[in-house]
Amino acid sequence: MKKLIKKKPATKQSVAPFVTPQKPSYSKAWEDEGLSIVENKFGVVFEKKIVYAPEHVHGDFKLKEIFEAFTLWNSFKGEHPISTDGKKIVFFDTETTGLKGTGTYIFLIGQLTWNEDHFEMTQHVLADPSHEAALLYECGLWKPGQTVITYNGKSFDWPQLQTRWTLNREHLPILADPIHIDLLHGSRRVWRNELDQFKLVHLEVEKLGFKRVGDIPGHLAPIIYMDAVKSGVPTTLLKVLHHNEWDILSLLTLFIHSTKLILQEQYNNSSVSSTNIGKWFSDLKDFDKGQSVFEQIIKEYSKTEAAQAFYFLGFEYKRRKQMILAYEAFEQSLINLSDVFQIQAYEELAKIAEHVKKDYLAAQVHVEKAVLLIRNTKHLKPLQKERKNWAFDKRLKRLVNKQTISRASARFDRK
């Protein structure tokens, strides 16, 4: 039937020529408030540049400490989600008119880079929706060879940028696909079980030594921008730019702090975050590094504080077939583990006692303690409890059977 279909040659659709929109009537008023006008072939963009000396302090950190962080990553032999590659580093954040949908515009793009002898913040502001292509082009993110560092950018900022780029793709250069480091994911890995929330402003107070004064709440930014476009008065909009500036400076200091925690091998910030770092290395298959971190935590902290480190160290020893060391580590971990982790630790102890030490009675004791925990825990769903009960019941029957056989064998030998 395909032969009967008349195929017409594909005709290349011509792209309509781009019509440059008119400059907004409030351009002069926005210039008077300190914003510069940048013109390109797609229209106009309002721009603000801020220069910082290397000694500039934001919270507990000087901006120049970022170079120590880059040096640490350059000397790091493994692979890690927040390691840099020596390319141009751009700390990047946006403000938008909404959370999603094709009607959501990016109205502010902020970028911080190193420029010869100083740090430079460049903020581009959308003149109005008709000048969107001008904003996207001027931000320069279509240029290759950059590494972008964001906070929640993989889930929000970059997908939004891609959406807006797609809607203007007929005229813009192709958007680059840079290396992207999202510090939200790294922060969750490092401070899991230590922090209750991971908003950047919360991290600033808890970990970066910075507290905002007079900040504009992020959810008000879209309203403020739309009001500035409608009224032509950008006074309050400048506070949104200040909010964006703080976001990006905190991105840089968060990268500094995270890098030092992960790579400087001084795991004395807290036992929780240090254990999380060791677990992260293990999950990345860097088992030697993970084990080294756990062993250092055990030296630095009390047994109660290091319980989680003992637990994960048990798996490292087990992976290396050092079963007696693994058994001791799992025993030590029981001092201060949550019930779900205790159940797993008892299971590992039962396995080693049964298959390595041949101590069936000890294995039975471990199994019975695990069963009691399963019965009383509120952290397992009914189906999970059912599965674990079935597995432990099976193990318990086997252990009882083995002890019966052993006792019968002993009586036979005596005869």
Side-chain angles (χ1 to χ4, degrees):
M1 296 296 292
K2 288 183 179 179
K3 295 179 180 179
L4 300 177
I5 299 175
K6 294 181 179 180
K7 296 181 179 180
K8 295 181 179 179
T11 56
K12 187 176 181 181
Q13 294 182 347
S14 58
V15 178
F18 185 85
V19 179
T20 305
Q22 291 185 345
K23 188 182 297 185
S25 59
Y26 45 77
S27 298
K28 180 66 167 60
W30 286 34
E31 279 188 291
D32 291 343
E33 289 286 348
L35 297 174
S36 304
I37 289 185
V38 177
E39 297 190 42
N40 58 40
K41 57 185 177 181
F42 300 111
V44 301
V45 182
F46 292 103
E47 182 183 85
K48 181 180 180 181
K49 284 188 179 288
I50 309 169
V51 172
Y52 308 92
E55 299 289 334
H56 181 87
V57 175
H58 183 76
D60 292 336
F61 302 90
K62 293 181 179 179
L63 300 190
K64 69 176 184 179
E65 292 179 63
I66 193 67
F67 300 113
E68 298 174 32
F70 291 156
T71 300
L72 286 170
W73 284 119
N74 291 337
S75 60
F76 178 63
K77 302 302 181 183
E79 294 184 6
H80 199 279
I82 72 166
S83 61
T84 57
D85 55 2
K87 294 183 179 180
K88 180 183 178 182
I89 307 296
V90 179
F91 294 91
F92 166 74
D93 187 46
T94 66
E95 302 294 335
T96 64
T97 59
L99 296 179
K100 61 181 179 179
T102 54
T104 298
Y105 289 90
I106 296 172
F107 70 84
L108 172 59
I109 297 176
Q111 299 175 80
L112 179 67
T113 58
W114 172 252
N115 189 357
E116 295 183 355
D117 61 352
H118 62 271
F119 292 94
E120 187 171 281
M121 177 89 69
T122 304
Q123 295 173 302
H124 290 116
V125 184
L126 180 65
D128 69 40
S130 66
H131 291 266
E132 182 178 39
L135 170 74
L136 297 176
Y137 181 82
E138 198 62 35
C139 76
L141 290 168
W142 49 272
K143 298 176 183 178
Q146 303 183 80
T147 293
V148 174
I149 300 179
T150 66
Y151 196 81
N152 198 31
K154 284 187 177 180
S155 300
F156 183 75
D157 299 85
W158 200 258
Q160 287 279 18
L161 185 69
Q162 289 175 317
T163 298
R164 302 316 306 175
W165 213 279
T166 298
L167 295 173
N168 291 273
R169 65 184 180 277
E170 292 181 349
H171 307 289
L172 293 173
I174 296 173
L175 180 63
D177 184 19
I179 294 170
H180 192 156
I181 299 171
D182 191 335
L183 294 183
L184 171 61
H185 305 302
S187 298
R188 283 176 172 163
R189 290 300 303 248
V190 172
W191 290 295
R192 179 177 52 194
N193 300 323
E194 184 174 335
L195 296 179
D196 296 327
Q197 53 180 302
F198 288 90
K199 289 184 177 180
L200 185 57
V201 291
H202 185 69
L203 273 177
E204 288 173 345
V205 175
E206 294 293 328
K207 300 298 177 183
L208 304 179
F210 181 71
K211 185 174 177 61
R212 304 188 185 204
V213 178
D215 186 30
I216 290 289
H219 69 273
L220 294 180
I223 301 171
I224 292 170
Y225 170 73
M226 298 304 292
D227 181 69
V229 170
K230 185 177 181 180
S231 66
V233 180
T235 306
T236 311
L237 180 61
L238 294 178
K239 294 184 179 181
V240 178
L241 269 67
H242 201 191
H243 170 91
N244 178 259
E245 176 190 357
W246 278 338
D247 281 349
I248 296 174
L249 289 174
S250 292
L251 261 180
L252 183 142
T253 57
L254 178 58
F255 186 84
I256 294 169
H257 187 43
S258 301
T259 297
K260 289 182 176 180
L261 286 179
I262 293 168
L263 295 184
Q264 279 196 334
E265 299 187 0
Q266 296 176 357
Y267 303 105
N268 51 15
N269 181 59
S270 77
S271 61
V272 175
S273 61
S274 300
T275 302
N276 289 338
I277 290 169
K279 179 65 166 57
W280 199 359
F281 278 118
S282 294
D283 290 344
L284 293 169
K285 310 300 182 186
D286 192 344
F287 300 116
D288 291 339
K289 183 69 174 177
Q291 180 171 329
S292 174
V293 174
F294 298 139
E295 289 174 341
Q296 189 169 334
I297 293 167
I298 289 166
K299 292 178 183 177
E300 294 279 344
Y301 297 92
S302 67
K303 288 184 178 180
T304 302
E305 292 175 304
Q308 199 86 24
F310 273 114
Y311 174 79
F312 291 122
L313 184 60
F315 286 103
E316 291 302 322
Y317 286 144
K318 182 180 176 182
R319 193 184 61 80
R320 297 172 187 272
K321 309 298 182 186
Q322 297 173 310
M323 294 303 187
I324 302 305
L325 289 176
Y327 189 88
E328 293 171 356
F330 285 125
E331 276 192 320
Q332 295 285 355
S333 74
L334 293 169
I335 296 171
N336 192 33
L337 283 181
S338 65
D339 50 10
V340 174
F341 281 104
Q342 280 191 49
I343 292 167
Q344 184 65 43
Y346 278 125
E347 183 175 2
E348 295 301 324
L349 286 166
K351 289 177 183 178
I352 297 172
E354 178 185 358
H355 301 296
V356 179
K357 301 179 76 174
K358 306 299 182 183
D359 189 342
Y360 305 130
L361 180 58
Q364 180 180 340
V365 171
H366 294 315
V367 170
E368 289 171 345
K369 288 182 178 179
V371 170
L372 185 61
L373 282 170
I374 293 168
R375 186 184 306 152
N376 295 325
T377 184
K378 296 179 180 179
H379 299 104
L380 290 175
K381 296 178 180 178
L383 185 58
Q384 291 175 314
K385 282 191 174 185
E386 184 181 334
R387 288 174 177 171
K388 286 190 175 293
N389 273 321
W390 180 85
F392 277 107
D393 185 57
K394 182 181 177 182
R395 184 179 297 278
L396 186 59
K397 287 177 181 177
R398 185 175 67 245
L399 288 167
V400 171
N401 187 48
K402 284 185 176 182
Q403 290 179 77
T404 303
I405 294 172
S406 296
R407 285 193 293 268
S409 177
R411 287 195 297 270
F412 178 81
D413 289 342
R414 283 196 295 270
K415 291 177 182 179

